[in-house]
Amino acid sequence: MKIAVQTEPFDFAAETASFGTGGNNVGAVVTFTGIVRDDSGDLEALELEHYPGMTERAIAKITEEAMTRWELADALVIHRHGRLAVGEPIMMVATAARHRVAAFEAAEFLMDYLKSRAPFWKKEHMRSGTAWVAAKDADEDALKRW
Amino acid sequence: MVEVLYFAWVRERIGVPRETVETSARTVADLVTELRARDPRYDAAFADTSALRVALDQDLSGFDAPLEGVREVAFFPPMTGG
C-alpha cells in the first residue's frame, strides 16, 4: 500500500510499471487518473488546499478499508495539492486484486471516498475571478452505495 | 486551551489559518458560540454550521461532540477532493 500527498507531478508510467506484480495471485489491476478540466473555458488554474496530517490519515483509513473489503493485493493513492494548470493530473488510484470486479469496485470506492472524505478543497482561478468549488450532493449520495 | 484551524473559505473569512484559543467550552457547538461572539468575521463564518464540517484531532466529528481532551479542532467546508 502506498499513499502520497504531494505538490509535484507524479510519473504514472513509473508508478504503474511495478504495481501489483509482487505476487502470483494478482489477476487484475485498475488505475484511475483525475485531470484538471475546464468546463467554462475560463479556467486558468485549480488550487488545492489540504489539511496536512489529517489528509494522509484519512486517505490511509479509506485505503485500508478498501484493502480489507475487496481483499486487494495492493493499493496506491497519490493526490496532489497546490496550484495545477488545466490538463495536469490531480491524482491517481490503483488497485490490484485477483479478479477485475474487485479491482474496479475498490477503485470506485476509493474515488467516491476521496472526493467527500479526504480533506482537500478546490479553488478555481478564472480570468474573471476566483471561486471555491462547492461540494455536490451527488458526491455525498455516491457514498450510500457502499 | 485548544488549537483551532480553519481551511478554505472559512480561513479566508476569518483571516487566519490557525490560532490558540483559551476556552472552557464543553462541546464544539459551545466553542462556535464563543467564537461568534468575538467578532463579526467569526459570526459570518459560522452563521450556517450546516455548511461546515468539523474535525477533532484530525478525525471528522460533529458539532455536538465534547471537547474534553481534544487538542486540535478544525473547521472547514465540505471537502472537494478527487
Side-chain angles (χ1 to χ4, degrees):
Chain A
M1 188 172 117
K2 175 183 168 176
I3 287 158
V5 178
Q6 60 190 48
T7 52
E8 60 271 20
F10 50 83
D11 184 342
F12 180 84
E15 294 294 345
T16 51
S18 59
F19 179 80
T21 57
N24 295 326
N25 59 344
V26 173
V29 168
V30 165
T31 66
F32 171 86
T33 309
I35 295 163
V36 180
R37 71 169 191 280
D38 178 11
D39 286 336
S40 62
D42 192 33
L43 190 72
E44 285 183 326
L46 197 62
E47 186 186 338
L48 276 108
E49 181 172 332
H50 79 121
Y51 183 172
M54 180 174 169
T55 310
E56 292 80 358
R57 210 177 136 111
I59 296 176
K61 203 170 147 191
I62 295 162
T63 310
E64 276 157 17
E65 191 180 335
M67 292 279 295
T68 308
R69 193 156 157 190
W70 282 278
E71 297 179 357
L72 301 180
D74 204 358
L76 162 84
V77 177
I78 303 177
H79 206 305
R80 296 175 68 193
H81 60 98
R83 194 179 168 102
L84 306 176
V86 174
E88 275 195 73
I90 305 175
M91 54 91 63
M92 68 171 286
V93 305
T95 54
R98 291 183 66 224
H99 299 290
R100 73 173 189 281
V101 173
F104 272 118
E105 279 188 8
E108 285 215 76
F109 167 88
L110 283 172
M111 286 312 306
D112 284 347
Y113 269 83
L114 290 170
K115 263 196 160 338
S116 306
R117 292 291 181 271
F120 288 97
W121 300 275
K122 292 189 182 113
K123 189 181 198 177
E124 291 179 331
H125 290 262
M126 292 156 293
R127 282 161 202 91
S128 50
T130 61
W132 289 100
V133 174
K136 294 185 190 76
D137 289 342
D139 290 339
E140 192 62 34
D141 289 345
L143 302 185
K144 290 176 189 155
R145 63 176 164 149
W146 306 113
Chain B
M1 243 175 17
V2 64
E3 196 70 8
V4 183
L5 283 71
Y6 310 106
F7 291 96
W9 60 256
V10 184
R11 170 180 54 74
E12 288 181 341
R13 210 162 284 183
I14 289 172
V16 292
R18 63 191 301 151
E19 60 188 329
T20 305
V21 175
E22 193 77 56
T23 180
S24 52
R26 284 184 50 250
T27 65
V28 175
D30 292 344
L31 175 64
V32 168
T33 305
E34 285 182 14
L35 291 171
R36 288 188 71 175
R38 275 184 165 192
D39 182 303
R41 290 172 301 143
Y42 291 90
D43 195 35
F46 289 106
D48 177 13
T49 51
S50 72
L52 295 178
R53 301 289 178 267
V54 59
L56 301 181
D57 289 331
Q58 307 192 349
D59 276 323
L60 273 180
S61 190
F63 285 83
D64 54 356
L67 282 181
E68 197 184 344
V70 171
R71 284 160 302 171
E72 190 171 290
V73 181
F75 294 105
F76 43 78
M79 296 161 267
T80 53

